[in-house]
């Protein structure tokens, strides 16, 4: 669950920066999509937030920026692959091709593993940088529900997250069927 704390801070910062970027855009009749932050910008924003929460030293900030830039670069690459695999899965489903469904599902499983590895390794490396007092604060934030979307918000099983529907996809079914997921 360590990686969810880092995700929460990153996504909260990114959401705020995206909202700010949209609100400060030009009012011309031609609308342009704001450019998403780069992995380095995401890492910097995350480290700034973590510095506020955990009183990181400049040495910790430098190391954390490197750790999170690497993580966000990996995640950005994986996101493109996820989108391709989700499209392949939907095509296979509508085409009724069992082999293609199995292949797409296996690809999504592999990508999910790679995502969790990248997040877990980054979080582990970051945690190792912290003093015992900072580790206690960091753990307390996570136990308080500080997840990828801030306090509260969707976590595992949410849209686009492990165990959840793809972003923009249908939510959980309210039919009588029940599925279980492990945490």
């Amino acid at each position: 669950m360590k990686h969810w704390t880092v995700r929460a801070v990153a996504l909260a910062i990114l959401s705020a920066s995206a909202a700010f970027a949209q609100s400060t855009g030009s009012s011309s009749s031609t609308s342009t999509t704001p450019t998403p932050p780069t992995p380095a910008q995401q890492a910097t924003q995350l480290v700034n937030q973590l510095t506020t929460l955990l009183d990181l030293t400049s040495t910790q900030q430098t190391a954390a920026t490197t750790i999170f830039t690497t993580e966000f670069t990996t995640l950005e690459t994986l996101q493109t692959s996820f989108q391709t695999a989700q499209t392949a899965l939907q095509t296979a489903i509508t085409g009724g091709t069992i082999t293609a469904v199995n292949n797409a599902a296996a690809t999504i499983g592999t990508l999910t593993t790679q995502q969790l590895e990248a997040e877990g390794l980054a979080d582990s490396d970051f945690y190792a940088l912290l003093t015992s007092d900072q580790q206690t604060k960091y753990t307390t934030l996570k136990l308080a529900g500080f997840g990828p979307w801030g306090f509260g918000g969707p976590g595992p099983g949410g849209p686009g997250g492990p165990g959840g529907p793809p972003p923009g996809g249908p939510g959980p079914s309210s039919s009588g069927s029940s599925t279980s997921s492990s945490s």
Side-chain angles (χ1 to χ4, degrees):
M1 292 299 290
K2 293 178 191 174
H3 67 279
W4 292 117
T5 301
V6 175
R7 294 288 80 58
V9 173
L11 290 174
I13 292 169
L14 295 176
S15 297
S17 65
F20 178 77
Q22 290 175 357
S23 67
T24 59
S26 154
S27 61
S28 70
S29 61
T30 316
S31 69
T32 59
T33 304
T35 304
T38 66
Q41 290 169 328
Q42 292 172 340
T44 299
Q45 292 171 345
L46 175 58
V47 170
N48 288 342
Q49 182 69 25
L50 289 169
T51 298
T52 300
L53 295 170
L54 303 173
D55 299 319
L56 299 180
T57 66
S58 60
T59 302
Q60 288 172 317
Q61 290 173 35
T62 301
T65 300
T66 300
I67 290 166
F68 294 128
T69 299
T70 300
E71 175 192 14
F72 290 136
T73 300
T74 300
L75 295 177
E76 182 177 70
T77 301
L78 288 173
Q79 181 60 33
T80 301
S81 299
F82 266 117
Q83 291 168 342
T84 301
Q86 285 288 346
T87 300
L89 178 61
Q90 291 305 314
T91 301
I93 289 169
T94 58
T97 310
I98 294 171
T99 302
V101 170
N102 290 338
N103 289 340
T107 299
I108 292 168
T110 299
L111 292 169
T112 300
T113 298
Q114 292 172 357
Q115 173 189 355
L116 294 173
E117 286 173 346
E119 292 169 347
L121 289 172
D123 199 43
S124 176
D125 289 347
F126 175 69
Y127 189 82
L129 293 175
L130 302 176
T131 66
S132 61
D133 286 343
Q134 290 169 324
Q135 289 174 345
T136 300
K137 287 179 188 177
Y138 189 61
T139 301
T140 301
L141 285 170
K142 291 185 294 181
L143 292 174
F146 200 72
W149 285 272
F151 289 102
S173 171
S174 59
S175 68
S177 67
S178 66
T179 58
S180 63
S181 63
S182 57
S183 303

